Amino acid sequence: MFREFAWLDVISLLRAAQWTILLSLFAFVAGGLVGLAVALARVSRIAALRYAMIGYINLLQGTPFLIQLLVIYFGLTFVGIRLDAWSSAAIALTLYTSAFLGEIWRGCIEGVPTTQWEAAEVLGLSHFQKYLYVILPQALLVSLPATVGFLVQIVKATSLLSVIGFAEIMRIAQTINNVTFQPFIVYGICAVLYFLICLPLSRFSVYLERRLHGVA
Amino acid sequence: MALLEIQALRRRIGGNEVLAGIDLDVEAGEVLALIGRSGSGKSSLLRCIGGLDTADGGRIVVDGIGIGDAARKRDLRERIGMVFQSFNLFPHLSVEGNVTLALRKVRGMAKAEAREIAHAMLEKVGIADKAGAYPRALSGGQMQRVAIARSLALQPRLLLLDEVTSALDPEMVREVQNVLTLLAAEGVTMILVTHEIDFARAASRRVAFLHKGRIGEIGPTKQVLDTPATAELREFLGFRL
Ligand SMILES: Nc1ncnc2c1ncn2[C@@H]1O[C@H](COP(=O)(O)OP(=O)(O)OP(=O)(O)O)[C@@H](O)[C@H]1O
Ligand SMILES: [Mg+2]
């Protein structure tokens, strides 16, 4: 039944890597959009909204991503909601990412000095304009290193999607390993692939950090 | 009717009467210097007039509009400009961006028009050559002049300045003071909080001495500074008792 590990398998893994990247990008964009809303709600003037977001963030940061994924994929069937792997992955990634990015950005929004709000106030900017033109640009700039750094976490988190059958790197690696039984080679290549995806991101994050401190 | 009318203004912070009943009128075109010890309530008074703090009692009327009149909040904002000790420029915007932001977004001007005004204002404060620079590349004196230009661009009827030279090196104090003296001569109505008595003497028509949240003395600059009537002001000014 076993066969040799072949070059073809490397190609399969590279194809799977495309999925890993695509899923990561999706998580970043969708989670980023929701995360921005989470961050804004978290610093909202409406107390109920703030508390709701504290709950949301704590819930998602306080449980493993794998559990969240399984609850959404399998757990929801108990309440009559059947989601396919795609929808489950999309929802789980978005929730997870939004909680973390929301919390990172909340900190950066709150880090903008009160005096910036006051300067914007005396110029007559509306609440919305203060956010749009004064607070968010500064907060997002400061958040860049941490944001890009978190991208690395997302990439690694996508490996867990293999449990619901997604054909990303880990899933393909498992199937190849099942027929070749050469885990060292197969998972070694996986590790290299993840490393090659994550290294530029973490280097970029460090670079941004240095630049930011250089100019601030 | 005076441009600014304040009656029985009170503000309390944590059981502490920071402003304990202020009555004050400022005429259009006048420059009033506000002096007093640290903690006497100068900033608090300015922040109440500027709408950054809310009073606990009394009335503030600017150009006939009462502060707290929610329906006319915008009209009021247009009339009052404020410059801070720490400049508070927007670090992510260029000098020109700082000055044009409100012109464009609040006043709804086209880019070209806003730039023209910004340029004129920067010219006035002597810093037009730095229009494209970012705040971090400027000296303190330059930043403060940009902050003044940013405020002036909106043509406020009343300009509030809270120790705008206190964070500056001595050689830069003068360049900012010169700008303010120029504005005073042009008839811009200003209330300026300052610790520099010589500057108050040169730039203001009247002086108000704040003491423990009250106006201890107020009158023509020369009179108040040369012949202080109260022991507190004499002591503050360093007179021999
Ligand atoms: N946010 C605050 N919380 C608590 N107390 C405050 C606050 N702001 C001002 N105060 C108090 O109010 C009083 C008046 O302060 P204010 O800043 O108006 O004084 P000031 O005359 O501007 O002093 P300075 O010359 O030091 O700037 C002080 O006793 C100060 O401690
Ligand atoms: Mg003060």
Side-chain angles (χ1 to χ4, degrees):
Chain A
M1 250 347 267
F2 291 113
R3 63 169 174 81
E4 287 290 305
F5 183 83
W7 276 113
L8 203 65
D9 295 321
V10 177
I11 307 245
S12 305
L13 283 171
L14 282 174
R15 282 230 184 81
Q18 291 179 344
W19 276 107
T20 294
I21 292 172
L22 198 72
L23 285 164
S24 304
L25 281 178
F26 172 85
F28 185 63
V29 172
L33 288 173
V34 178
L36 185 59
V38 168
L40 291 175
R42 183 66 185 71
V43 297
S44 156
R45 290 182 287 193
I46 303 162
L49 214 49
R50 285 201 305 274
Y51 288 120
M53 283 309 125
I54 291 176
Y56 177 89
I57 291 168
N58 281 336
L59 184 69
L60 288 163
Q61 288 196 337
T63 51
F65 176 66
L66 183 60
I67 307 288
Q68 294 165 16
L69 182 66
L70 294 176
V71 166
I72 289 168
Y73 187 59
F74 297 112
L76 287 184
T77 54
F78 284 105
V79 292
I81 305 170
R82 269 202 83 85
L83 293 172
D84 56 21
W86 250 113
S87 316
S88 305
I91 293 172
L93 283 174
T94 304
L95 291 179
Y96 174 77
T97 309
S98 70
F100 278 87
L101 288 182
E103 187 65 1
I104 290 173
W105 292 342
R106 172 199 65 84
C108 295
I109 290 171
E110 288 181 342
V112 177
T114 334
T115 50
Q116 289 287 308
W117 288 93
E118 291 179 349
E121 167 70 23
V122 298
L123 291 177
L125 271 68
S126 70
H127 193 64
F128 178 73
Q129 289 175 325
K130 284 177 204 158
Y131 265 118
L132 191 60
Y133 300 118
V134 177
I135 305 302
L136 287 182
Q138 295 185 55
L140 292 182
L141 188 71
V142 171
S143 81
L144 273 181
T147 302
V148 174
F150 180 68
L151 255 173
V152 175
Q153 303 303 319
I154 300 178
V155 172
K156 292 193 276 193
T158 60
S159 67
L160 296 168
L161 295 174
S162 59
V163 302
I164 61 169
F166 245 97
E168 45 65 66
I169 297 178
M170 276 314 290
R171 179 73 180 186
I172 297 302
Q174 281 158 10
T175 51
I176 294 172
N177 187 49
N178 286 346
V179 292
T180 61
F181 205 70
Q182 284 177 304
F184 184 74
I185 295 180
V186 177
Y187 291 118
I189 291 175
C190 283
V192 170
L193 284 178
Y194 278 112
F195 187 71
L196 289 179
I197 297 172
C198 293
L199 184 70
L201 289 174
S202 41
R203 297 306 306 168
F204 187 47
S205 168
V206 170
Y207 164 80
L208 288 172
E209 178 94 54
R210 290 226 183 92
R211 272 225 42 186
L212 212 57
H213 283 180
V215 297
Chain B
M1 195 178 67
L3 178 66
L4 169 69
E5 298 179 346
I6 300 178
Q7 282 144 22
L9 182 70
R10 289 177 184 281
R11 177 165 161 79
R12 206 171 283 119
I13 300 177
N16 181 13
E17 280 246 289
V18 172
L19 297 176
I22 302 266
D23 294 287
L24 177 68
D25 282 0
V26 176
E27 302 290 335
E30 179 177 33
V31 177
L32 175 79
L34 204 54
I35 60 173
R37 280 190 195 296
S38 179
S40 58
K42 304 180 298 293
S43 296
S44 299
L45 175 57
L46 234 52
R47 290 174 60 88
C48 282
I49 301 170
L52 293 178
D53 288 344
T54 317
D56 293 303
R59 262 163 61 79
I60 305 175
V61 179
V62 178
D63 210 10
I65 308 170
I67 287 188
D69 183 348
R72 303 202 59 189
K73 190 165 181 280
R74 250 191 95 112
D75 296 333
L76 195 66
R77 262 283 154 259
E78 282 194 358
R79 288 165 166 74
I80 305 174
M82 197 160 177
V83 184
F84 306 88
Q85 179 174 347
S86 53
F87 332 128
N88 303 353
L89 293 181
F90 304 132
H92 60 297
L93 297 178
S94 67
V95 165
E96 185 184 279
N98 266 273
V99 182
T100 54
L101 181 67
L103 289 173
R104 301 199 55 204
K105 304 305 174 187
V106 180
R107 299 288 160 89
M109 281 183 193
K111 194 170 183 177
E113 193 186 355
R115 286 178 74 164
E116 205 169 300
I117 293 178
H119 213 78
M121 292 304 148
L122 291 170
E123 195 85 60
K124 178 177 266 180
V125 299
I127 200 167
D129 55 321
K130 298 282 186 195
Y134 280 80
R136 60 176 171 273
L138 304 181
S139 73
Q142 290 171 328
M143 283 198 264
Q144 194 57 290
R145 284 184 286 151
V146 173
I148 292 171
R150 179 172 73 175
S151 213
L152 283 180
L154 299 169
Q155 295 186 290
R157 301 286 318 272
L158 173 65
L159 193 55
L160 308 171
L161 304 117
D162 193 357
E163 297 193 37
V164 296
T165 58
S166 296
L168 303 179
D169 294 334
E171 63 269 29
M172 288 160 192
V173 168
R174 182 52 58 83
E175 67 187 38
V176 171
Q177 287 181 348
N178 288 343
V179 168
L180 296 181
T181 309
L182 177 82
L183 296 179
E186 282 184 5
V188 178
T189 314
M190 292 188 274
I191 301 181
L192 50 97
V193 172
T194 182
H195 281 296
E196 285 123 9
I197 300 302
D198 290 336
F199 177 58
R201 192 185 287 280
S204 71
R205 192 205 296 173
R206 280 199 304 159
V207 170
F209 170 62
L210 224 57
H211 186 68
K212 294 186 175 162
R214 289 195 172 79
I215 293 189
E217 256 179 77
I218 185 165
T221 300
K222 199 166 155 42
Q223 179 196 315
V224 171
L225 296 180
D226 291 347
T227 56
T230 60
E232 289 81 15
L233 180 54
R234 274 199 295 276
E235 196 193 326
F236 176 74
L237 292 172
F239 276 62
R240 264 170 225 229
L241 295 176

